[in-house]
Amino acid sequence: MISALRMVNGILTITEFELRKVVHDSSQVFVRAIQPLLWLVVFGGVFGKLRVLATGSYSYLQFLTPGVLAQSVIFIAVFYGITLVWERDFGLLNKLLSTPVPHSSIILGKTFAAGVRSILQAILIFLLALAIGVQLRVDPLSVLGVLTVIVLSGMCFSSLSIFLASMLKTRERMMGIGQAITMPLFFASSAIYPVELMPSWLKVVALANPLSYTVDALRALLVTGDFSRFPRDLAVLILATVVLTVLATVSFKRIID
Amino acid sequence: MIEVANLTKRFGHFTAVDSISFRVEKGEIFGLLGPNGAGKTTTIRCLLTLTRPTSGEVNISGIDALKNPQQVRQICGYVPQEVSVDGDLTGYENLLLYARLYQVPKASRTKRIRDALEFMGLTERASHLVKTYSGGMMRRLEIAQVLVNQPQVLFLDEPSIGLDPAAKRMIWDYIIRLRDDFNATILLTTHDMLEADELCDRIAIMNLGKIAVIGSPRELKAQLGGDVISISTTASNCFGVLQRMGYQLLSSSRDGVCELIVKNGEEEIPRILEGLRQHGVATKSVSLKRPTLDDVFLKYAGVRIEEGEVSWKSARLTRRTIRRLRR
C-alpha cells in the first residue's frame, strides 16, 4: 500500500515538473507546430487539388488532419529518449535515482508527461486545422476520445524511445535512430494515404505499426464517426503502450551503467 | 554511521572496487582521496544503492543497504560530480521537486525549502531559472536540494570540481557548516589534496580500487616522519649515492629530481650537500617543504596523483556541462 502511494507520488511529481518546464519555455510548443502546419497547408493543399486518392466522401484535408495530428505527436515522442540521455550526461538522472521513489515511477512519470505534453501539441494543430477550414467533429466526447488516444500514443512512442536510449546510450545514436524511424513509421501507416492503396507487403508493415491504430482511431473520432474499429484500435494502443512502458522501465537502468 | 565490509564491485573482468572496508562515525567528514578511476564514485554508488555490489556488506545507520535500499535512500542525500540541477526549472522548483520526491510532509515543505535556500545563500535568486546561475550557485543549489530532506548522511562526489578558487572556498565553508549545524555525517570523494587536507577529519587513500591507508590528514603526514627535501641534479648517480648514505627516498628521480624524507630538514641539508659533494655529485638546487597529502599518496600508492592533468580534464568537462546547461 505504502509503496503504491510512493509510486503514484513519484509519477505525479515527475509529470508535474516536466510540465512546469514546458510552461517556462512555451515557445517550443509553437516551433514544433511548424512542421505539421506545413504538412497540412502545403502537402495537404496540393494533394487535395489532385484528387488522386480515394478518400471516400471526405475531402483529402479531412482525411489528412488525423494523420498529421498523430505524426506531430510521435515525431516528438520518438526523440524523447534523448532527454533522458541528456539528463544522464548531467547528474540529474543519478540524483533522481538516489531518492526513495521507486525507480519505475521515474520512467512512468516521464512517459506520462510526454503524453500529456502532446496534448498541447494536438490542441494547437486541431485549432490550425479548424482555422484553415477543415471540417472536424468537435463534440465533447470526441474531444475526450482524441485526448485519450493522444496521451496513449505519446506514452507509447516515448517509451519506445526510452527503450532505444537504454540500448544506444548516446545522444548522437539516438538522433540517428530517431531520424531513421520517424519517416518509415509515418509512411508505413494510414496517415497520408489509405492502407487499401498499399502493396500487400506494406500493408503487413502498416498492420504492425502502432501509428496506424492511432491514426485510425483519430480518424473515427474527428472525421467519420464510424466506430466499428475503434475498440480494436484502442486495445492495440493500450497493449503496445503497456508492453513498451514495461520494456522501458526494465531496461532504462542500463542507460546509467 | 557508515560501515563497509569487504565491498567489491566488478564490471565484467574489471574490478572497480576491490574488497574495501571502512567505518565512518556520526558527524565525521570522511574523504575518499584518489585519482580518477580509483573507484571512489563506484564506492559511493554502491553505498547509495544505485548499483549492486558484487560482494560485501554495507550498513548505513544500522540499515542493511542491500536488503533495504529504499530506507537507505530515504536518510541519505547525494550530490553527484556532474551538474544535477535542472536548468529549465527555477531554483525554488528544483527544491520543491526533491521535497516531494523525499515525501517531506506538506506542512513543513515550504519552511524547509526556505531554510535550505537561506542556508545556501540562494534566497534572492530562488525564482530565477537555474540556467542563469553561475557554476558555484548551481553547486550550492545541488546541496540545498538534498538539505530539504534533512539527511543523516551526505554523499558529495567531488564537491568543488570545476569551481574557481573563491567558489571552492565557499563550498568548503558550507560543508563544514553542514556538519556543525546539522550534525550530518559526510562522505566525500576528491582528488584535490588541499580539499582533503582542509575539510576531512579522516581520509582513505584509494588507488586502483583498493584503500591503501586510512587516517587523519595530520596523522598520515606525520607518519611520513619528517620533511621532504627535493634535490635537483644532473648527475645520474645521485639516487644511488643518497641511498648509500642511508636516506629514505620517496621517489626515484623524475627529471633529475631526488626526493627524500628526513627529520629536521633544515639542519640536515648542509650535511646532505656535503656528502653529495664528497661523492662528486653536483647539485643544481635544493628545496625543503613540509610533507603534503600528495607525498603521503606517493608513499602508499606508488605514484603521484597527477593532480594537474586529471583535475584539468575533469574540470573542463564540468565547465562544458555547465556551459551547455546555461545555453
Side-chain angles (χ1 to χ4, degrees):
Chain A
M1 184 59 199
I2 290 171
S3 61
L5 278 178
R6 271 178 187 278
M7 186 88 183
V8 172
N9 167 55
I11 295 175
L12 293 182
T13 305
I14 297 285
T15 307
E16 179 190 327
F17 283 84
E18 286 296 306
L19 295 178
R20 280 180 187 241
K21 289 188 214 170
V22 184
V23 176
H24 287 307
D25 183 13
S26 48
S27 65
Q28 49 173 313
V29 176
F30 294 99
V31 173
R32 285 168 171 180
I34 293 174
Q35 207 189 10
L37 176 70
L38 292 176
W39 274 100
L40 268 185
V41 176
V42 180
F43 185 85
V46 175
F47 254 65
K49 287 220 174 66
L50 289 174
R51 296 178 198 287
V52 286
L53 294 174
T55 50
S57 52
Y58 305 102
S59 78
Y60 182 65
L61 270 178
Q62 275 178 305
F63 178 85
L64 183 65
T65 302
V68 169
L69 203 57
Q71 176 247 35
S72 78
V73 170
I74 71 127
F75 273 30
I76 294 161
V78 288
F79 288 104
Y80 194 74
I82 292 181
T83 322
L84 222 65
V85 176
W86 179 273
E87 292 188 354
R88 190 269 325 263
D89 288 349
F90 297 122
L92 276 166
L93 204 52
N94 266 321
K95 197 169 192 172
L96 278 179
L97 293 175
S98 77
T99 66
V101 294
H103 290 171
S104 53
S105 68
I106 293 173
I107 287 307
L108 286 175
K110 298 251 179 213
T111 54
F112 189 56
V116 177
R117 248 168 113 153
S118 351
I119 290 181
L120 293 172
Q121 204 69 36
I123 292 173
L124 207 61
I125 293 155
F126 191 74
L127 293 177
L128 282 173
L130 288 177
I132 60 172
V134 184
Q135 282 193 331
L136 299 170
R137 293 155 38 95
V138 283
D139 60 289
L141 260 180
S142 302
V143 172
L144 192 69
V146 168
L147 296 185
T148 311
V149 170
I150 283 186
V151 172
L152 270 176
S153 308
M155 283 185 80
C156 176
F157 285 96
S158 57
S159 302
L160 172 70
S161 182
I162 289 172
F163 175 64
L164 290 172
S166 63
M167 301 287 178
L168 302 173
K169 295 181 181 176
T170 71
R171 248 171 293 162
E172 291 73 14
R173 286 188 217 145
M174 275 309 288
M175 282 305 282
I177 196 88
Q179 306 279 11
I181 63 173
T182 44
M183 280 302 165
L185 275 175
F186 187 40
F187 289 128
S189 77
S190 58
I192 49 178
Y193 30 67
V195 178
E196 294 79 47
L197 298 180
M198 294 178 183
S200 50
W201 66 269
L202 194 56
K203 272 186 195 159
V204 177
V205 181
L207 214 61
N209 181 355
L211 186 59
S212 299
Y213 300 90
T214 303
V215 174
D216 203 49
L218 289 178
R219 202 162 274 149
L221 288 158
L222 287 169
V223 185
T224 64
D226 168 11
F227 291 100
S228 56
R229 289 195 306 267
F230 190 73
R232 180 206 67 171
D233 294 339
L234 206 59
V236 172
L237 269 181
I238 290 173
L239 183 70
T241 307
V242 169
V243 169
L244 285 168
T245 43
V246 169
L247 270 180
T249 315
V250 172
S251 72
F252 101 102
K253 276 190 95 171
R254 300 172 43 151
I255 200 174
I256 295 189
D257 284 331
Chain B
M1 198 64 185
I2 305 176
E3 283 172 66
V4 177
N6 304 316
L7 180 73
T8 299
K9 176 71 185 179
R10 282 192 206 97
F11 297 102
H13 292 297
F14 174 67
T15 308
V17 176
D18 195 353
S19 189
I20 63 170
S21 303
F22 61 90
R23 282 174 64 98
V24 183
E25 305 303 329
K26 191 168 171 56
E28 196 176 25
I29 301 181
F30 187 87
L32 292 174
L33 174 69
N36 277 1
K40 295 168 291 164
T41 302
T42 310
T43 304
I44 284 203
R45 292 173 55 82
C46 285
L47 301 197
L48 268 166
T49 75
L50 288 175
T51 184
R52 218 183 153 72
T54 311
S55 63
E57 281 166 46
V58 176
N59 229 288
I60 292 176
S61 189
I63 305 166
D64 186 333
L66 292 167
K67 289 201 186 108
N68 299 305
Q70 277 190 2
Q71 281 183 41
V72 166
R73 296 207 294 266
Q74 182 67 57
I75 59 161
C76 291
Y78 174 40
V79 180
Q81 180 174 340
E82 306 85 6
V83 177
S84 63
V85 281
D86 201 318
D88 296 325
L89 294 171
T90 66
Y92 181 86
E93 283 172 331
N94 265 288
L95 297 201
L96 182 61
L97 170 62
Y98 278 81
R100 297 257 297 266
L101 293 177
Y102 278 112
Q103 300 198 308
V104 175
K106 211 168 190 167
S108 48
R109 223 179 262 161
T110 322
K111 185 177 181 322
R112 287 230 203 143
I113 294 173
R114 225 187 296 131
D115 290 349
L117 285 167
E118 185 72 42
F119 184 82
M120 296 309 289
L122 290 165
T123 308
E124 278 163 37
R125 296 290 295 274
S127 59
H128 295 192
L129 286 183
V130 170
K131 56 181 154 197
T132 64
Y133 283 22
S134 70
M137 289 171 73
M138 283 187 195
R139 201 50 358 154
R140 269 146 59 200
L141 186 67
E142 283 164 356
I143 297 176
Q145 271 184 318
V146 292
L147 283 188
V148 293
N149 184 38
Q150 302 185 335
Q152 298 178 33
V153 186
L154 258 172
F155 294 91
L156 309 174
D157 197 355
E158 300 277 1
S160 67
I161 201 166
L163 299 180
D164 60 68
K168 216 174 222 188
R169 283 268 159 211
M170 198 166 186
I171 293 294
W172 291 353
D173 288 343
Y174 277 118
I175 293 174
I176 289 168
R177 279 184 55 201
L178 276 175
R179 193 257 317 266
D180 295 347
D181 295 8
F182 294 91
N183 198 23
T185 306
I186 297 171
L187 178 83
L188 59 88
T189 74
T190 183
H191 63 265
D192 181 339
M193 304 293 165
L194 193 62
E195 182 163 279
D197 212 346
E198 298 231 341
L199 268 184
C200 299
D201 301 314
R202 286 192 307 139
I203 55 173
I205 287 188
M206 226 178 150
N207 194 38
L208 301 173
K210 289 195 173 82
I211 289 181
V213 63
I214 300 178
S216 74
R218 189 211 286 261
E219 270 167 30
L220 292 174
K221 284 183 290 188
Q223 271 174 23
L224 277 181
D227 302 318
V228 177
I229 293 176
S230 311
I231 300 167
S232 144
T233 172
T234 46
S236 54
N237 60 342
C238 181
F239 194 81
V241 171
L242 285 167
Q243 252 176 347
R244 258 176 281 134
M245 286 164 70
Y247 287 108
Q248 184 197 348
L249 279 122
L250 198 55
S251 67
S252 61
S253 52
R254 40 178 179 90
D255 306 328
V257 178
C258 293
E259 289 177 306
L260 52 157
I261 299 172
V262 287
K263 289 209 174 73
N264 305 321
E266 283 94 344
E267 290 163 29
E268 201 65 27
I269 287 181
R271 251 171 275 163
I272 297 172
L273 290 182
E274 180 58 25
L276 284 175
R277 202 183 54 79
Q278 278 172 10
H279 286 85
V281 177
T283 47
K284 279 201 295 193
S285 67
V286 180
S287 67
L288 174 140
K289 64 177 172 97
R290 307 290 168 222
T292 64
L293 283 178
D294 200 14
D295 303 313
V296 176
F297 190 83
L298 179 62
K299 181 182 168 192
Y300 287 102
V303 284
R304 289 257 170 222
I305 201 160
E306 285 168 328
E307 238 284 297
E309 195 235 352
V310 171
S311 71
W312 180 79
K313 226 191 231 165
S314 23
R316 196 184 51 165
L317 193 75
T318 309
R319 256 163 223 263
R320 205 167 56 201
T321 321
I322 291 171
R323 216 167 35 229
R324 243 185 291 170
L325 195 61
R326 292 176 65 179
R327 265 196 327 196

